[in-house]
Amino acid sequence: MAERVQQPPAKRLCCRPGYSTTCRQGQRSGGTVCGGSGSGQGGSSKTQSPESLLDIAARKVAEKWPFQRVEERFERIPEPVQRRIVYWSFPRSEREICMYSSFNTGGEESASGGESGDETRLPFRRGIALLESGCVDNVLQVGFHLSGTVTEPATPSEPEMVCSVAISFDRCKITSVTCGCGNKDIFYCAHVVALSLYRVRRPEQVKLHLPISETLFQMNRDQLQKFVQYLITVHHTEVLPTAQKLADEILSQNSEINQVHGAPDPTAGASVDDENCWHLDEEQVQEQVKLFLSQGGYHGSGKQLNLLFSKVREMLKMRDSNGARMLTLITEQFMADPRLALWRQQGTTMTDKYRQLWDELGALWMCIVLNPHCKPEQKAAWLRQLKKWNSVDVCPLEDGNHGNELPNLTNALPQGAHGNQDSGARPHRTVFTRAIEACDLHWQDSHLQHIINDDLYTNYCYHDNTENSLFDSRGWPLWHEHVPTACARVDALRSHGYPREALRLAIAIVNTLRRQQQKQLELFRNHKKDLLHKGVTSITNLEGWVGHPLDPIGTLFSTLMETGRGDEDGSHGGFLDFSAGSMSSSKHSEMHLFPSTRRFLEEGESYLALAVETALMGLGQQRIMPDGLYAQEKVCRNEEHLIAKLQEVDLDDTLVKIFRKQAVFLLEGGPYSGLGELIYRESVPMHTFAKYLFTCLLPHDAELAYKIALRAMRLPVLESTAPSGDMSRPHHIVSVVPNRYPRWFTLSHIESQQCELASTMLTAAKGDARRLETVLESIQKNIHSSSHIFKLAQDAFKIATLMDSLPDITLLKVSLELGLQVMRMTLSTLNWRRREMVRWLVTCATEVGVYALDSIMQSWFTLFTPTEATSIVATTVMSNSTIVRLHLDCHQQENLASSARTLALQCAMKDPQNCALSALTLCEKDHIAFETAYQIVLDAATTGMSYTQLFTIARYMEHRGYPMRAYKLATLAMAHLNLSYNQDTHPAINDVLWACALSHSLGKNELAAIIPLVVKSVKCATVLSDILRRCTLTTPGMVALHSRRNSGKLMSLDKAPLRQLLDATIGAYINTTHSRLTHISPRHYSEFIEFLSKARETFLMAHDGHIQFTQFIDNLKQIYKGKKKLMMLVRERFG
């Protein structure tokens, strides 16, 4: 509260022309305490005497009439009467004071809405603490003005502070507050609370005076002069300039002050024109909302804004006009949020939490314009304001898409075959559109008035059984209106403090829905054969009730549940009289259970049961999936929220009957039900709802539970071929032709819910082979995501192999079957979990038994890639752990090994590059199979295999003791290799060195055969020189190259094959040198000199090497003489 130290200006001018000066001289000045003679507030006494007629009349006048009207109505008001009116004009309830000093509703509630969660920090709680600790003093009431001081005790960090508090009030409402503490907040500070509660709780201790103007009228001229002079003396530093200015103006005949009759009095109460409302600091509301919005959802700002919205609802419920004022201020700040323009410009969407705040804003405006009390001029003003906001370019759209997506389907669209019209022709509906439309609604319908005002409103002689009849066959009233609109009326009644009337209308709406559901069922049964034959995929409403912006089902459910629990606050109960615009009071005690309203419930039915049935009807309604990410997320969120509320209800026999009844309706409801036999391709799926129904019905009616769950498993939006819409409309069944590929932004969530439903059924069906088979068929038919099927397979495996029981072989087979389906689905697609899936499948098959392992190996080509089949499947099957796990005998081991070898050879034939080595490994123990695998490698070596693969297999062969075969493969690998002059770090170099070492170890012939291949494939001088050096160290065929030198005859460099290698090496050095000199930079000169030094070592290995190297250097000097610095370095090193 922006509490100001200065006093507010007086609201009106006061004078008493009917009184003479003489009659006041000698009358006593002063006051009496509030609880003096005639007080009707003997709050401290246990026994109270009856109120006097004066007090009763004064209280009523104080509540309804501004004091100016009282003065104008009567020529002279006796002082005792004035005192009682002034006394009763102060608020008597602490509830409103609490509402304006905390986020909480009522003083006894917890402080969960507080900023820190510490209730002692709330102004209302702190005010009570100050009052109870005796910190309020000098309390004085002068007319309609209360003042006093509140002492804030010292703390370790703050000294004691005395705050001067002043409060103005009118007709039992605080209209102005000021406090010297300087606090700035939306709500009253603790000092204002303490003074207010002092007056409420201890009226007998407050000294009461008439308005100051009345006291001044009692003074003669001398007394008035003395009064003014003393006042100036006491406060001369503060008021002397003002006093002199006023004196000058009064003494001036033509001054403005002398043109006005009377003088202002801040204590004289309200004028006739003053609005009667509680004090609300509008500036602080705006500042706080602006601050919260600027924080962008951080620091709990979203929570604070939601608390402000709750405060608006609290004010509406108390029928406080500040509710609309406060919401207007909040909305203005929301509309001024600079992020709106930025998001629109960038084409990005607002955050989900911020979007929900806008939804609440729109819903609150809907409640306000549907206020049954509001005057036409007030509604017209709201309509103008809403249209103004609605026309702003950045005003958020109802479906939250900024116009980038197709707008939501609403009841504003044509309800016919052309309902799915082009998006360009659809009106853009903002968050305020529904409130604007609601301004056209009224409450004057006589049938509606009877429903909400009369517990006994029936017509047992009514026999109109048409679709829109006013009563059902029992004579109970029905209310036919667009369901979200009708429920918005219920929400408005609840919001404005009419729980009883809201309940009556809610019951009429639910009874109407139940009757419509019954008639829809009968209609479908009559047309069932024809509709099913045509394959009609129809929906009855383009606008679903769950996920709707007005949340109709949530409203009905909350209304009925709160009544059933006795939660509704009855402090403002009463019947509505819309024609007169007034209310007649009803007893508080009647408001919790409303027993007479029960006449419109079935025998033995409760509000709780009706609420549950309403939720089931709404959740089961077939409805189209709305367009846009936010609208689709809202459908999921609202559905889950409603189901969470239902899960809090304990099921008894009555509720189980309702579940059974609704389950049958949903299964047989045709196009009206989301669980009907045929649904529109883009209907909202029922997986989440069906899972809840399945869980609830399973202990009581397993057959029905499975029927519901299995029916709900479908997801037609993912089917490649779905039935087309039928344009015929039997009895207003609306058909929609799909004209675009649907954009389901929440599809991943929907598929996960479908998976959860299937998992729930698998768990429940454990031990029941027939049920498991049915569930498996449903999964295979309806689930299209490999990751979700894999999850189900894993779930089934876990359930089947629980530690505390024997494995369930049927469920294990289901798990395996699902795993096989996953393998087939992901065989030709990329999936990052593929290796995990393959390993898991082998584990699952192992648990099932040896025949399962044999089966997957026999049909490997439909399940695995050749690499997976050899490196994972066959290898795992042949491992010792598998043999031990399955307790296999020798015969079974041999059968498995035979299957594995067959698989390996097939894979090697299909993909020798990746499977040959695995095939050789798997076939080691079978000579024929091993030879076959080796031949496959040889056949593939000349065409499809790379040198890397061939070298790897060659090394394997050497390791297994087949050096000649290793040599053969090495020569084949060399034919594929090509190392250029600058590839001196190529990974194949080690393989080349190994191949040469192998050839050298086998003998001169083998070495002679491989050297031409080396010369042809390797152009890198350093690699060739390394090979040459190694070949000269030992005798071929004697020992490995890395052993010590022996006494055998070394190979001559002047003869083949080493002469060929030496020439090739020298040539490589010459070519490399010229290549390097083409693009050499000075920083590489020293490196180049070292390279030439290595080249010289190789040149000198030839008998005429010295001469060749000298000629080589001379050529370099001549050709590259322009590189003077480099040539100088060459001369320094090599002459």
Side-chain angles (χ1 to χ4, degrees):
M1 185 66 61
E3 289 152 349
R4 300 166 295 277
V5 178
Q6 72 272 17
Q7 292 289 343
K11 292 186 177 181
R12 64 187 181 89
L13 304 177
C14 301
C15 62
R16 293 293 185 272
Y19 287 72
S20 66
T21 306
T22 56
C23 73
R24 297 181 182 275
Q25 294 178 6
Q27 288 188 2
R28 180 177 56 86
S29 176
T32 61
V33 295
C34 285
S37 176
S39 172
Q41 281 249 339
S44 58
S45 173
K46 291 184 180 180
T47 59
Q48 295 183 350
S49 58
E51 280 189 292
S52 67
L53 185 59
L54 170 61
D55 268 315
I56 294 172
R59 188 171 68 247
K60 290 299 180 184
V61 168
E63 289 172 357
K64 302 295 183 185
W65 283 21
F67 196 65
Q68 184 181 6
R69 179 174 294 177
V70 178
E71 292 176 325
E72 292 173 351
R73 182 75 178 268
F74 306 100
E75 184 177 350
R76 186 177 187 280
I77 308 169
E79 184 176 314
V81 175
Q82 288 191 55
R83 289 184 180 282
R84 300 318 296 161
I85 292 174
V86 168
Y87 170 82
W88 288 113
S89 291
F90 197 84
R92 296 184 290 280
S93 168
E94 296 183 8
R95 184 181 177 114
E96 286 86 356
I97 297 170
C98 177
M99 182 170 73
Y100 280 93
S101 56
S102 65
F103 274 120
N104 301 77
T105 309
E108 296 305 315
E109 295 189 5
S110 71
S112 59
E115 197 168 290
S116 66
D118 180 7
E119 64 179 32
T120 60
R121 295 186 61 187
L122 291 172
F124 186 76
R125 291 288 186 182
R126 286 179 51 232
I128 292 177
L130 290 171
L131 172 64
E132 292 175 347
S133 58
C135 296
V136 183
D137 201 5
N138 304 319
V139 183
L140 174 68
Q141 180 177 340
V142 180
F144 297 86
H145 185 273
L146 183 71
S147 62
T149 58
V150 179
T151 304
E152 188 79 56
T155 65
S157 59
E158 297 289 337
E160 181 181 275
M161 178 174 66
V162 179
C163 301
S164 298
V165 183
I167 299 172
S168 296
F169 52 91
D170 169 42
R171 285 168 276 179
C172 300
K173 292 182 176 69
I174 292 176
T175 56
S176 173
V177 300
T178 58
C179 180
C181 68
N183 256 6
K184 289 192 174 183
D185 199 355
I186 294 175
F187 303 116
Y188 302 166
C189 67
H191 314 111
V192 170
V193 172
L195 180 61
S196 303
L197 295 184
Y198 187 97
R199 172 62 176 79
V200 172
R201 296 184 181 185
R202 305 173 187 174
E204 71 282 354
Q205 298 179 19
V206 178
K207 193 171 185 180
L208 188 149
H209 298 264
L210 293 178
I212 193 68
S213 53
E214 290 292 331
T215 304
L216 294 176
F217 273 121
Q218 296 175 17
M219 297 181 186
N220 58 27
R221 187 188 179 285
D222 292 339
Q223 290 172 321
L224 283 170
Q225 183 165 359
K226 183 177 291 188
F227 170 79
V228 172
Q229 288 181 216
Y230 267 98
L231 180 63
I232 293 172
T233 301
V234 173
H235 300 287
H236 67 279
T237 56
E238 300 164 23
V239 304
L240 186 57
T242 305
Q244 186 60 56
K245 179 183 177 183
L246 289 173
D248 292 342
E249 290 185 6
I250 290 172
L251 291 174
S252 173
Q253 292 295 326
N254 299 323
S255 64
E256 184 178 346
I257 200 170
N258 284 324
Q259 309 303 314
V260 180
H261 188 60
D265 180 0
T267 68
S271 67
V272 175
D273 299 327
D274 284 342
E275 185 180 0
N276 182 224
C277 59
W278 285 78
H279 173 69
L280 178 69
D281 193 325
E282 297 187 359
E283 181 183 347
Q284 276 303 306
V285 172
Q286 292 173 315
E287 288 298 320
Q288 291 285 331
V289 175
K290 187 176 181 180
L291 174 64
F292 293 150
L293 288 174
S294 68
Q295 291 172 348
Y298 299 101
H299 313 295
S301 58
K303 179 182 177 182
Q304 295 295 328
L305 288 167
N306 273 316
L307 289 172
L308 284 181
F309 287 144
S310 298
K311 182 60 65 179
V312 172
R313 286 195 178 273
E314 186 183 347
M315 290 176 174
L316 296 181
K317 201 167 188 177
M318 300 281 283
R319 300 179 202 155
D320 187 334
S321 61
N322 278 338
R325 284 177 62 203
M326 189 167 179
L327 187 62
T328 302
L329 297 170
I330 293 173
T331 307
E332 286 173 347
Q333 292 304 309
F334 266 72
M335 290 299 297
D337 191 342
R339 291 178 297 172
L340 291 177
L342 184 63
W343 286 328
R344 172 63 63 89
Q345 182 182 2
Q346 295 175 343
T348 55
T349 57
M350 61 181 72
T351 62
D352 194 53
K353 287 185 178 180
Y354 188 53
R355 176 67 241 190
Q356 291 177 43
L357 293 172
W358 275 102
D359 277 357
E360 179 65 7
L361 203 63
L364 281 170
W365 274 114
M366 187 84 173
C367 284
I368 284 177
V369 300
L370 279 176
N371 180 0
H373 274 319
C374 80
K375 300 171 184 176
E377 59 271 19
Q378 195 176 37
K379 183 180 284 190
W382 288 334
L383 179 59
R384 287 193 299 272
Q385 183 63 68
L386 287 168
K387 285 183 174 179
K388 178 183 174 183
W389 290 327
N390 190 71
S391 64
V392 177
D393 185 49
V394 295
C395 183
L397 301 181
E398 185 178 72
D399 61 356
N401 293 318
H402 294 301
N404 294 333
E405 301 292 341
L406 293 175
N408 200 352
L409 295 171
T410 71
N411 61 306
L413 297 181
Q415 299 288 298
H418 304 290
N420 201 12
Q421 59 181 316
D422 181 72
S423 63
R426 291 173 178 159
H428 278 187
R429 298 177 61 83
T430 74
V431 291
F432 301 117
T433 301
R434 292 185 186 272
I436 291 170
E437 293 171 348
C439 289
D440 295 331
L441 299 175
H442 61 82
W443 297 84
Q444 277 71 47
D445 183 273
S446 60
H447 182 59
L448 176 61
Q449 287 193 46
H450 282 301
I451 288 174
I452 63 179
N453 281 325
D454 190 355
D455 282 328
L456 307 176
Y457 183 47
T458 55
N459 190 335
Y460 298 113
C461 301
Y462 191 86
H463 297 297
D464 180 7
N465 199 31
T466 59
E467 186 177 359
N468 294 317
S469 58
L470 299 181
F471 298 88
D472 61 16
S473 58
R474 300 166 296 189
W476 295 0
L478 304 173
W479 181 243
H480 296 278
E481 190 176 26
H482 176 239
V483 173
T485 304
C487 295
R489 291 184 187 272
V490 175
D491 191 30
L493 289 170
R494 286 176 66 220
S495 298
H496 289 283
Y498 302 108
R500 189 169 193 166
E501 290 75 9
L503 176 64
R504 293 191 188 109
L505 182 55
I507 291 173
I509 294 170
V510 174
N511 283 333
T512 306
L513 293 179
R514 292 202 288 195
R515 179 176 179 272
Q516 288 175 349
Q517 188 185 50
Q518 182 64 46
K519 286 198 167 293
Q520 288 167 351
L521 181 62
E522 294 169 1
L523 170 68
F524 178 65
R525 283 174 176 167
N526 293 335
H527 294 85
K528 182 174 182 178
K529 185 178 293 185
D530 183 43
L531 294 177
L532 291 179
H533 175 71
K534 292 181 179 179
V536 173
T537 54
S538 305
I539 51 176
T540 58
N541 198 337
L542 298 179
E543 195 175 41
W545 299 335
V546 174
H548 191 280
L550 299 179
D551 192 20
I553 298 299
T555 297
L556 293 175
F557 183 80
S558 299
T559 303
L560 295 165
M561 286 292 288
E562 287 171 2
T563 306
R565 293 170 176 166
D567 288 347
E568 279 289 2
D569 188 341
S571 61
H572 280 282
F575 295 97
L576 293 181
D577 180 2
F578 298 107
S579 56
S582 61
M583 294 177 55
S584 60
S585 178
S586 66
K587 293 182 180 177
H588 177 89
S589 60
E590 293 176 354
M591 294 307 295
H592 287 296
L593 298 180
F594 311 147
S596 56
T597 315
R598 289 182 178 272
R599 81 165 45 245
F600 298 126
L601 301 181
E602 299 280 359
E603 184 177 352
E605 190 174 40
S606 64
Y607 296 121
L608 175 64
L610 195 63
V612 169
E613 185 168 10
T614 303
L616 297 181
M617 284 192 289
L619 288 165
Q621 176 207 25
Q622 184 175 176
R623 53 198 184 272
I624 193 170
M625 178 67 79
D627 294 307
L629 170 62
Y630 179 73
Q632 292 175 11
E633 285 180 339
K634 191 171 183 179
V635 167
C636 298
R637 186 168 54 245
N638 282 26
E639 180 184 40
E640 290 167 2
H641 177 73
L642 194 53
I643 290 174
K645 291 291 185 184
L646 284 170
Q647 287 172 333
E648 296 174 3
V649 178
D650 295 326
L651 295 188
D652 55 18
D653 292 341
T654 304
L655 291 179
V656 169
K657 287 179 183 177
I658 290 173
F659 270 80
R660 280 181 166 148
K661 168 190 163 186
Q662 282 300 320
V664 172
F665 269 132
L666 292 171
L667 287 172
E668 300 180 3
Y672 302 94
S673 164
L675 291 167
E677 290 182 58
L678 281 172
I679 56 170
Y680 175 55
R681 183 170 178 242
E682 293 185 43
S683 288
V684 174
M686 296 281 117
H687 307 127
T688 310
F689 178 43
K691 179 187 170 187
Y692 169 69
L693 283 179
F694 177 82
T695 307
C696 293
L697 285 170
L698 190 63
H700 310 283
D701 191 336
E703 192 66 30
L704 185 58
Y706 277 100
K707 280 183 181 178
I708 287 283
L710 290 169
R711 178 72 62 81
M713 276 292 292
R714 61 197 171 186
L715 190 53
V717 75
L718 293 182
E719 302 292 343
S720 56
T721 56
S724 60
D726 188 344
M727 295 307 295
S728 61
R729 291 183 290 146
H731 198 73
H732 307 296
I733 297 178
V734 180
S735 298
V736 180
V737 180
N739 61 359
R740 62 186 175 85
Y741 186 77
R743 297 187 66 188
W744 283 27
F745 300 95
T746 55
L747 188 59
S748 60
H749 173 75
I750 289 168
E751 287 188 285
S752 68
Q753 291 301 303
Q754 182 189 37
C755 179
E756 287 295 321
L757 173 61
S759 180
T760 304
M761 283 196 287
L762 284 174
T763 305
K766 181 180 181 181
D768 189 329
R770 182 178 65 86
R771 297 249 192 250
L772 283 173
E773 183 180 354
T774 308
V775 175
L776 175 61
E777 290 175 0
S778 179
I779 292 170
Q780 292 175 324
K781 177 184 176 183
N782 296 299
I783 297 185
H784 304 275
S785 165
S786 58
S787 60
H788 287 123
I789 296 178
F790 183 51
K791 180 185 182 303
L792 287 171
Q794 290 178 305
D795 290 348
F797 183 79
K798 289 175 186 175
I799 299 164
T801 56
L802 292 175
M803 296 297 292
D804 57 350
S805 61
L806 292 172
D808 186 319
I809 192 63
T810 309
L811 194 52
L812 271 176
K813 288 179 179 178
V814 169
S815 175
L816 179 63
E817 192 59 42
L818 291 172
L820 294 174
Q821 184 178 348
V822 173
M823 291 297 103
R824 288 188 285 268
M825 292 173 70
T826 58
L827 179 59
S828 58
T829 60
L830 294 174
N831 192 306
W832 64 274
R833 298 184 66 188
R834 175 75 185 176
R835 287 185 65 84
E836 177 195 353
M837 292 171 173
V838 174
R839 291 183 186 281
W840 177 88
L841 183 77
V842 177
T843 303
C844 182
T846 304
E847 288 296 322
V848 173
V850 65
Y851 68 91
L853 288 174
D854 192 57
S855 174
I856 65 173
M857 287 196 293
Q858 296 285 349
S859 58
W860 70 268
F861 46 87
T862 65
L863 303 171
F864 315 108
T865 64
T867 307
E868 292 167 347
T870 54
S871 63
I872 301 177
V873 180
T875 305
T876 307
V877 170
M878 295 294 290
S879 67
N880 287 330
S881 60
T882 303
I883 295 170
V884 173
R885 177 75 183 85
L886 292 175
H887 308 291
L888 301 180
D889 56 31
C890 293
H891 178 68
Q892 290 173 321
Q893 289 182 39
E894 181 53 36
N895 285 342
L896 269 186
S898 176
S899 296
R901 288 192 292 270
T902 303
L903 175 150
L905 293 174
Q906 291 173 346
C907 292
M909 288 288 290
K910 192 175 181 68
D911 185 7
Q913 295 94 331
N914 298 308
C915 301
L917 181 59
S918 297
L920 288 166
T921 305
L922 288 166
C923 295
E924 278 181 358
K925 296 181 180 179
D926 186 286
H927 177 70
I928 296 175
F930 186 82
E931 290 298 323
T932 305
Y934 176 66
Q935 191 58 46
I936 291 172
V937 175
L938 290 180
D939 293 343
T942 56
T943 54
M945 296 187 74
S946 68
Y947 63 84
T948 304
Q949 294 162 337
L950 288 169
F951 274 130
T952 303
I953 297 172
R955 284 177 181 257
Y956 161 80
M957 283 294 188
E958 185 200 27
H959 183 68
R960 285 290 183 267
Y962 299 106
M964 287 306 297
R965 290 183 175 181
Y967 167 75
K968 175 66 175 175
L969 293 173
T971 58
L972 292 172
M974 288 298 299
H976 294 287
L977 182 64
N978 183 22
L979 283 181
S980 63
Y981 76 92
N982 57 351
Q983 290 183 294
D984 51 356
T985 58
H986 195 281
I989 291 174
N990 285 331
D991 289 322
V992 173
L993 294 175
W994 169 82
C996 291
L998 176 66
S999 304
H1000 192 277
S1001 67
L1002 290 175
K1004 182 178 179 180
N1005 294 335
E1006 287 76 11
L1007 183 62
I1010 204 169
I1011 283 179
L1013 296 176
V1014 172
V1015 169
K1016 181 180 180 181
S1017 300
V1018 180
K1019 306 301 181 187
C1020 182
T1022 54
V1023 175
L1024 289 172
S1025 64
D1026 193 10
I1027 296 171
L1028 181 65
R1029 183 182 60 79
R1030 294 185 185 212
C1031 289
T1032 59
L1033 294 177
T1034 58
T1035 304
M1038 297 288 290
V1039 292
L1041 293 182
H1042 59 266
S1043 301
R1044 295 180 180 178
R1045 299 183 64 177
N1046 56 61
S1047 58
K1049 188 176 180 180
L1050 299 176
M1051 294 181 69
S1052 171
L1053 290 172
D1054 295 330
K1055 298 179 182 179
L1058 293 188
R1059 179 67 194 184
Q1060 183 183 3
L1061 180 61
L1062 176 61
D1063 291 343
T1065 307
I1066 291 173
Y1069 269 117
I1070 293 171
N1071 292 334
T1072 304
T1073 300
H1074 287 295
S1075 297
R1076 294 182 69 168
L1077 283 172
T1078 304
H1079 303 291
I1080 196 167
S1081 63
R1083 70 173 181 272
H1084 293 135
Y1085 284 176
S1086 60
E1087 181 185 335
F1088 177 73
I1089 297 299
E1090 293 302 319
F1091 175 77
L1092 285 181
S1093 298
K1094 290 181 179 179
R1096 181 170 60 178
E1097 293 176 6
T1098 302
F1099 272 83
L1100 293 177
M1101 294 176 76
H1103 74 278
D1104 58 348
H1106 180 73
I1107 298 171
Q1108 289 187 53
F1109 185 74
T1110 302
Q1111 290 175 350
F1112 173 54
I1113 294 297
D1114 290 342
N1115 286 339
L1116 291 182
K1117 294 175 185 175
Q1118 183 64 32
I1119 296 171
Y1120 301 101
K1121 59 185 177 182
K1123 301 181 184 292
K1124 296 180 180 179
K1125 184 176 181 181
L1126 177 60
M1127 292 303 108
M1128 183 183 70
L1129 293 173
V1130 170
R1131 277 193 293 272
E1132 287 178 359
R1133 175 69 68 93
F1134 305 109

